Amino acid sequence: MAEPFAIEELQENVILVGVSLKEEDDAWDSLDELAELVDTAGANVAGALMQNREGIHPGTYIGSGKLDELKRLIEASEATGIVCDDELSPAQLRNLEEALDTKVMDRTLIILDIFASRASTSEGKIQVELAQLKYRLSRLAGLGKSLSRLGGGIGTRGPGEKKLEMDRRYIKERIAQLNRELAQVRKHRELTRQGRNKNPWKVAAIVGYTNAGKSTLLNRLTQAGVLEEDKLFATLDPTTRSLKLDSGQEILLTDTVGFIRKLPHHLIEAFKSTLEEAKYADYLIHVVDASNPQMDKQMHIVYQTLESLGVTNKKIITLFNKLDKIEEPLQLRDLKADQTLKISAAEGTGLDQVREALEEMLREETCFLEKTFSYDLAGQIQSIRKYGELILEEYREGGIFVKAFVPREMYDRFCQDEMDCVK
């Protein structure tokens, strides 16, 4: 009997290509981030090439001189392809493939590939496939006469239907089907949100740049068991967990997908229902990688993305994370945050202060309740324990005397008559 043989997956070696449009921009930083994306996708970076230009070449992304230099670099490094740091147009993609005779990819394709490998829930898989199909549909334009075909049999004589048109029609039909499935998922998510709104629990969305430590924070605070990995986009699917604070109050924490520079619009559209968790949250916990030299730029990108999603006027706690990786104390501040703290989620440093800050924010939106409940309404005190902060509970002859901080809607319900509560 023949012995089974293992099939080894060939690792791709790629050249990174970028264009710097002005002096002192962050083009090289963006290329470094692209190298991380490529590594996460499973490829090896064999080299990098940058061109300083006034604008991106509309036909070949880079100029003819750099194109010749890139050819020599591909041959010398035995690279199997290139990855451009911007989203390529169909014409740029086709022209580069013809000129270089090698595989051509762009930043968007790499991110989509990572998302496809990381999606685990049905919603995540639908969102990723939808983004991939929209990306592919935009690339079908102008692919040439090579895609034409003739049909066979009676009734199919003549030029027939172009393969391009068939592909486009199939993709549009599949997109329509996925949109219907995603609409059902969004409907379910909306019902879940409405269910949350029926109870007075507040929700805090954990947002931040990818790989800032959001999942690590959620795990340390709530033992959520979310995947932690020192790679970009380690987790895609949002996770919501309840955090019980020292005062007895509870708050819901929701982890969200990380942001990144040049986030493809296909993904923003496809993951809108996931990203909107931040929009419907009461507070934002902004996690920042304080050890990253591009910390300020990453913070700007997070706020820019939140603004594009309509996430504004939220109370924000900014957590400067990964202090264990910083040798010297830095001037860390966020002018858009209501409060800033320095933590290390990995080591658990500063998490007590995070809990205290959340308690303060919750208390700011509560009312002080002082009321005597008759004994037949004793069950209402349990809801105070669950959704508020019970300070005093005394059993008296006339009933149960309570002092507590409770959510506004609960206070209004308990104190419909001014005589119900002590002013």
Side-chain angles (χ1 to χ4, degrees):
M1 181 177 176
E3 292 185 5
F5 59 90
I7 300 175
E8 186 177 346
E9 187 175 343
L10 180 66
Q11 187 179 42
E12 294 189 66
N13 292 314
V14 298
I15 304 293
L16 307 183
V17 184
V19 174
S20 178
L21 300 178
K22 57 183 178 181
E23 292 184 5
E24 298 181 0
D25 68 0
D26 60 349
W28 276 109
D29 296 322
S30 183
L31 211 63
D32 289 340
E33 189 174 83
L34 181 62
E36 288 186 64
L37 288 167
V38 166
D39 177 65
T40 302
N44 178 59
V45 177
L49 182 142
M50 180 72 72
Q51 181 173 29
N52 298 315
R53 287 180 59 91
E54 291 183 1
I56 291 174
H57 194 287
T60 53
Y61 185 63
I62 54 176
S64 57
K66 280 289 179 182
L67 202 58
D68 291 336
E69 184 181 336
L70 181 56
K71 283 182 189 176
R72 294 192 293 271
L73 185 58
I74 291 171
E75 291 173 1
S77 62
E78 298 182 347
T80 57
I82 67 166
V83 181
C84 297
D85 195 32
D86 295 277
E87 187 168 325
L88 299 174
S89 69
Q92 289 170 333
L93 186 67
R94 182 179 65 250
N95 293 336
L96 283 171
E97 285 179 343
E98 290 177 355
L100 301 172
D101 191 27
T102 192
K103 185 176 182 179
V104 178
M105 297 166 281
D106 60 16
R107 186 185 185 94
T108 300
L109 185 65
I110 298 296
I111 293 175
L112 286 172
D113 185 77
I114 294 170
F115 270 51
S117 66
R118 297 296 170 91
S120 58
T121 65
S122 58
E123 179 185 4
K125 290 174 182 177
I126 291 171
Q127 289 169 325
V128 170
E129 186 182 353
L130 189 58
Q132 287 178 320
L133 288 173
K134 286 181 177 178
Y135 174 82
R136 184 181 167 194
L137 184 63
S138 67
R139 306 257 127 8
L140 285 178
L143 287 181
K145 296 180 180 179
S146 61
L147 290 179
S148 295
R149 71 174 182 90
L150 291 176
I154 298 172
T156 60
R157 304 185 202 285
E161 183 180 28
K162 288 185 177 180
K163 184 178 184 300
L164 172 63
E165 292 167 357
M166 288 188 67
D167 283 352
R168 185 181 285 116
R169 181 160 53 81
Y170 166 76
I171 290 174
K172 285 182 176 179
E173 288 172 355
R174 181 61 179 157
I175 286 175
Q177 181 186 345
L178 289 172
N179 276 326
R180 288 192 294 270
E181 292 179 18
L182 200 54
Q184 290 297 317
V185 173
R186 284 172 176 163
K187 186 177 179 181
H188 176 72
R189 187 179 290 278
E190 186 61 35
L191 289 172
T192 304
R193 287 196 190 109
Q194 290 174 6
R196 286 186 205 153
N197 293 336
K198 288 180 181 178
N199 65 57
W201 275 341
K202 298 294 183 181
V203 179
I206 304 174
V207 301
Y209 210 77
T210 182
N211 205 28
K214 299 183 298 301
S215 298
T216 303
L217 175 69
L218 184 68
N219 284 340
R220 295 300 177 275
L221 288 174
T222 68
Q223 288 74 52
V226 176
L227 172 68
E228 297 174 28
E229 196 173 355
D230 190 19
K231 285 193 174 182
L232 305 182
F233 301 116
T235 52
L236 294 183
D237 302 303
T239 302
T240 300
R241 293 290 185 271
S242 172
L243 170 63
K244 190 163 187 176
L245 302 170
D246 294 339
S247 63
Q249 298 181 90
E250 290 190 48
I251 185 170
L252 297 178
L253 301 183
T254 299
D255 190 13
T256 62
V257 64
F259 300 148
I260 197 169
R261 74 184 79 199
K262 301 179 184 177
L263 188 65
H265 67 276
H266 310 287
L267 280 177
I268 292 178
E269 275 302 310
F271 277 78
K272 210 160 193 176
S273 63
T274 303
L275 294 169
E276 279 182 344
E277 288 294 325
K279 186 175 181 178
Y280 293 103
D282 299 288
Y283 316 111
L284 297 181
I285 300 175
H286 179 195
V287 183
V288 179
D289 180 359
S291 68
N292 194 302
Q294 295 298 308
M295 176 187 68
D296 292 331
K297 178 67 176 176
Q298 292 181 353
M299 290 169 63
H300 174 70
I301 290 167
V302 169
Y303 284 123
Q304 205 173 40
T305 307
L306 287 171
E307 189 176 342
S308 70
L309 292 167
V311 184
T312 56
N313 301 322
K314 304 281 186 185
K315 287 192 174 181
I316 301 171
I317 300 176
T318 293
L319 306 180
F320 290 100
N321 190 27
K322 303 189 181 182
L323 288 186
D324 52 300
K325 295 186 177 182
I326 300 175
E327 294 181 2
E328 298 179 8
L330 298 175
Q331 186 76 17
L332 302 173
R333 56 182 183 174
D334 180 3
L335 298 178
K336 293 190 177 183
D338 296 274
Q339 192 170 351
T340 59
L341 296 169
K342 301 174 185 178
I343 69 163
S344 170
E347 295 187 347
T349 307
L351 297 190
D352 288 340
Q353 285 80 6
V354 175
R355 294 185 184 92
E356 289 172 8
L358 289 171
E359 283 191 340
E360 287 175 15
M361 294 182 93
L362 287 174
R363 185 171 286 182
E364 285 174 4
E365 297 191 21
T366 60
C367 299
F368 181 70
L369 174 71
E370 191 172 338
K371 175 177 176 172
T372 300
F373 289 85
S374 60
Y375 283 102
D376 60 328
L377 296 177
Q380 293 184 350
I381 298 173
Q382 182 58 33
S383 63
I384 294 176
R385 289 194 187 95
K386 188 173 183 181
Y387 300 120
E389 182 181 353
L390 187 61
I391 298 171
L392 177 67
E393 180 182 4
E394 285 185 357
Y395 288 80
R396 299 176 177 177
E397 186 177 342
I400 307 169
F401 178 70
V402 166
K403 286 184 179 181
F405 287 98
V406 297
R408 166 68 64 180
E409 53 269 35
M410 185 178 285
Y411 181 88
D412 292 340
R413 190 169 72 248
F414 288 153
C415 303
Q416 292 176 357
D417 188 330
E418 290 188 4
M419 297 299 294
D420 287 346
C421 299
V422 177
K423 295 294 184 181

